[in-house]
Amino acid sequence: MTGICGIVGLEDISLIKKMSDIIFYRGDNEIIGIYKNACFAERNFYDNRELIQNEDGNIVMVADADIYNYDKLKENLEKRGHSFSTDLNEEVIVHAYEEYGERCCEFLDGDFVFAIWDSNKSKLMLARDKFGVRPLYYTLDDTRILFGSEIKSLLTVSEKKEINFKSTSDYLILGNFLGSLTFFKNIYVLLPAHILTYKFGRTKVSRYWVPKFRIAKNTEEYCSKMLYNFLKESVRKRIGEVNGLYLGGFDSSVICSLMAEFSDEPIRTFTTCYRGDKLDTEIDVHNARIVSDYFGTKHTEVAIEPNDVAKMFYKIIWRNEYKSCVDGAHMYRLAEKASFLKGNKIFTGMCADVLTISMSKNESTLLKFRKLPFWLTKTAEIFSREFVPKLGRTKSIKMREYLDGISCMTTPQGYLIGKKIAVNYLYKDVISRFDETKNDINKEIIYPALKLYPKSHSSQLFLMYLTHAAPGKWISYMENVSITQSMLIGFPYLDENYIAFARSIPPPLLRSKYIQRRAFSNKLPPEIINRKKDDRTSIARIFNGEFGEVALQILNNYSIIQRDTEHYLNKHQILKYTQKFKEHSFKWGYQDKKFLDMIQMLVSIEGWNKTFIERDDIRRPLK
């Protein structure tokens, strides 16, 4: 919840105040510290009036942190002679830094970002938690470094705001920014499990934690019991400040059952859906009602009208600097309606699939396709490129995805390109330098994973998702949108001990959530235990409403192309797809999901352009 920002290389109270003011929703309490050649600010809902320091005052910290092993760490540090002056659990970070230096993050169990200023060494250290639950951004020039919990803090004091068209191209293909890049030139995101040190103008970024996994030959009964225990412990240590649960699928229902074990009062649960949308009503809302009735929760259904996305578009764009517009609609409406949760946290079941289930599927798929002869994979590639486009719209998309998967599956690099780029493969011609995007994938994602896990395809893929996909595609949009309504999201599935054990379970037990269903078979209603995942979407319904008109208006005035002097975007193809979108407007169906995904990304980057680049004053959303 806490918002942090800072500058090293300059003492300017007006500048740091400006960076802090734009994230006003992160807390009414503003604390500013000015030091020699550095200044920092923190916004929170606490009553403290000073930044956290060590005993001597030569080490100062700003942090957005929940440290779950605080009591144990504090006890150990006090035995080593450290004195604590506050009851805030993040104070343990300062003393851990005193004791262990840059290795302090290895001892922290929690969700955090922090900045430590060591005045004796004139050194700044930035750090982000192992799974990237909390975001942290930074920018550099020749004489200083600026950082903040949100990109807005950096943009509001930027002398020159520019679009990074190279990363924008990556985004249009993958639906995510690669590595540490963002939509904005010279603004970077600190990756999960990484630290940054800045001293005398020199910057070093390094990984402080590498997940280590080994498949264990445990019995099914043992795996079921321990999976339950590890997830229960994850919920227990996080539940202190939690006031609700975002309920919908099987994974959030599991969290609901565990929350009920720790709560004497009825749990507050919430579900979002598109009003009048039969699909969502039958699946998410219906199942949420079953779980709510089973556990006796205080349940709230937050309805989203199809035309709400049009009305919320620029508000979501302003709040969500890192993810496409439609993805933020659910969380924006939930945070807006649940105003009584201001300053509090709700749980979500997000990231359960990515971190435990789908990796086992990927492993088995990789092993299967690695056995295919080269001539077959090459034939699949040629057939996909030359003949598939002649099929119908729906068959073309599905067939090409499958064939691209076959042609690339022999390596983790191929798997990522085959499965991720295939999502928008038919529309990769919206960018002009596709080969550069593939090279970026190698440099930013593939090679680091190959270096850390030279022999395990499954671990390579897991690291790629953990470092790049999960924070950028799932966590960020929930965090960024909800935080502007002063509401925090908790991710109990993103727990180091839980994930380490889940990854040790034999892959066959993980498929179709078999082991999870067994672990909670007597904790949930049968309808939930036997529920099958449904990945269908309501995006077509959104584009058939007023948002389709907003999108068309934005595409017809696509000014971002004029800024693309490096020609990363293919102007001709964007105009061609704009015409196609215009001709088919308000007649979209499920089969058009891929095309509409691409359209919403094109619309989002223009929204960011109009909101943050074309305007000087970005303190409020564009109307």
Side-chain angles (χ1 to χ4, degrees), residues 275-300:
R275 186 184 298 279
D277 190 328
K278 184 179 178 181
L279 174 65
D280 277 300
T281 302
E282 287 185 349
I283 298 175
D284 287 337
V285 176
H286 175 68
N287 285 295
R289 289 172 182 170
I290 292 174
V291 175
S292 176
D293 292 342
Y294 189 82
F295 292 104
T297 72
K298 292 183 179 179
H299 191 57
T300 302

Side-chain angles (χ1 to χ4, degrees), residues 190-424:
L190 186 64
L191 292 176
H194 280 68
I195 63 171
L196 177 150
T197 57
Y198 180 84
K199 184 176 181 180
F200 302 126
R202 294 183 178 181
T203 307
K204 179 183 178 182
V205 179
S206 57
R207 174 181 285 275
Y208 66 81
W209 176 75
V210 177
K212 296 179 181 179
F213 308 112
R214 181 179 61 87
I215 303 297
K217 296 181 179 180
N218 294 318
T219 65
E220 184 177 314
E221 181 179 357
Y222 176 83
C223 290
S224 173
K225 179 181 178 181
M226 294 307 295
L227 190 75
Y228 170 83
N229 289 338
F230 275 112
L231 189 55
K232 181 178 179 179
E233 174 60 17
S234 174
V235 170
R236 183 201 64 79
K237 63 189 180 185
R238 288 169 168 81
I239 202 169
E241 298 178 357
V242 171
N243 295 81
L245 170 68
Y246 186 31
L247 187 60
F250 170 79
D251 301 311
S252 57
S253 300
V254 166
I255 300 302
C256 188
S257 72
L258 294 172
M259 291 176 69
E261 296 188 34
F262 296 107
S263 178
D264 296 327
E265 300 293 327
I267 303 166
R268 295 299 307 251
T269 55
F270 308 88
T271 299
T272 57
C273 65
Y274 290 99
R275 186 184 298 279
D277 190 328
K278 184 179 178 181
L279 174 65
D280 277 300
T281 302
E282 287 185 349
I283 298 175
D284 287 337
V285 176
H286 175 68
N287 285 295
R289 289 172 182 170
I290 292 174
V291 175
S292 176
D293 292 342
Y294 189 82
F295 292 104
T297 72
K298 292 183 179 179
H299 191 57
T300 302
E301 294 176 0
V302 180
I304 303 173
E305 302 289 348
N307 294 334
D308 281 352
V309 179
K311 299 172 184 176
M312 296 187 295
F313 174 70
Y314 282 111
K315 293 179 181 179
I316 296 173
I317 285 292
W318 185 79
R319 287 160 171 79
N320 193 7
E321 314 146 326
Y322 206 68
K323 182 66 176 166
S324 56
C325 54
V326 175
D327 294 304
H330 284 269
M331 287 312 302
Y332 178 82
R333 182 60 79 208
L334 173 61
E336 186 180 57
K337 294 294 184 182
S339 57
F340 56 87
L341 289 176
K342 182 177 181 180
N344 293 311
K345 180 192 292 187
I346 68 170
F347 273 158
T348 176
M350 191 67 76
C351 294
D353 284 352
V354 175
L355 300 178
T356 61
I357 308 304
S358 50
M359 291 298 96
S360 64
K361 292 181 180 179
N362 295 345
E363 174 77 351
S364 61
T365 305
L366 278 168
L367 292 175
K368 179 174 65 175
F369 279 102
R370 284 180 67 195
K371 298 177 182 179
L372 294 176
F374 174 77
W375 66 266
L376 180 57
T377 61
K378 195 65 179 178
T379 300
E381 179 184 357
I382 296 172
F383 186 81
S384 171
R385 185 177 63 248
E386 300 295 336
F387 299 103
V388 172
K390 299 178 182 179
L391 299 175
R393 186 169 54 180
T394 304
K395 293 181 179 179
S396 177
I397 294 173
K398 292 183 178 296
M399 182 66 75
R400 174 164 283 195
E401 280 192 48
Y402 182 73
L403 291 173
D404 285 336
I406 292 179
S407 66
C408 297
M409 278 284 191
T410 52
T411 65
Q413 171 186 1
Y415 179 85
L416 189 75
I417 295 175
K419 293 298 286 183
K420 285 297 178 183
I421 292 187
V423 171
N424 294 308

Side-chain angles (χ1 to χ4, degrees), residues 71-108:
D71 292 332
K72 182 178 179 180
L73 271 179
K74 180 181 179 181
E75 181 181 350
N76 291 338
L77 290 167
E78 285 180 331
K79 289 179 180 179
R80 293 173 178 264
H82 295 273
S83 300
F84 286 71
S85 59
T86 75
D87 295 327
L88 300 175
N89 65 26
E90 56 257 44
E91 186 182 351
V92 75
I93 300 173
V94 168
H95 301 292
Y97 173 80
E98 284 186 290
E99 190 67 32
Y100 305 113
E102 294 177 12
R103 293 184 57 241
C104 64
C105 295
E106 300 173 21
F107 300 88
L108 302 177

Side-chain angles (χ1 to χ4, degrees), residues 2 95 134 266 557:
T2 301
H95 301 292
R134 308 285 168 84
N557 298 277

